[in-house]
Amino acid sequence: MNGCWKWALQPLLIMTLIGCASDGRQATEIGQSNVTSALQQHRERTIQAAWVGKRYDSLHEAFGEPKLQMNILGYRPLKTSLAIYGMLDQSSNCVDAFTMVKLEDTGEWVVADYFCR
């Protein structure tokens, strides 16, 4: 009878060990995800503080030509455009995107916001 219990408990022991191993991987993935999220939030706050309200010409000088630029259609009081630069910072894993608005009185494009996606 002792031999039967060993065979009956062996699969349970194996399943428990597999479960513990996968929980460890999940915890590591969740930890990495939290670190990445914190880096992305920090980058978003930092870039917004540095660029919101600045001229698009200055942004263009600093970052170069965006990978994608497009007008945003809709009923907005100001013309709005989007410039996507792609991933400029590998550590935060952000795809850098800026929205710009065209000021009516000067016709100048200024940075309205920055998004890390």
Side-chain angles (χ1 to χ4, degrees):
M1 192 113 142
N2 256 352
C4 292
W5 282 106
K6 286 181 186 176
W7 285 104
L9 292 177
Q10 210 169 24
L12 181 61
L13 178 63
I14 291 170
M15 294 302 287
T16 302
L17 291 173
I18 290 171
C20 290
S22 67
D23 286 347
R25 273 184 267 138
Q26 270 185 329
T28 301
E29 289 170 8
I30 290 170
Q32 272 301 107
S33 178
N34 289 341
V35 168
T36 300
S37 180
L39 288 171
Q40 289 173 343
Q41 290 172 8
H42 179 266
R43 180 164 176 82
E44 194 166 81
R45 284 190 306 271
T46 302
I47 299 291
Q48 284 172 345
W51 287 101
V52 170
K54 302 280 174 46
R55 293 182 22 231
Y56 173 66
D57 294 343
S58 299
L59 179 74
H60 190 265
E61 282 178 30
F63 289 97
E65 195 67 33
K67 292 184 185 232
L68 174 69
Q69 189 164 3
M70 59 191 251
N71 291 326
I72 300 173
L73 303 175
Y75 299 102
R76 292 177 175 79
L78 300 173
K79 280 188 168 183
T80 307
S81 181
L82 175 70
I84 301 173
Y85 282 89
M87 196 178 303
L88 300 177
D89 178 49
Q90 300 298 320
S91 66
S92 64
N93 206 27
C94 286
V95 173
D96 295 317
F98 295 85
T99 54
M100 283 82 56
V101 294
K102 188 174 186 177
L103 302 177
E104 264 185 65
D105 55 343
T106 64
E108 184 175 47
W109 286 93
V110 296
V111 176
D113 211 346
Y114 163 82
F115 301 95
C116 165
R117 296 291 178 253

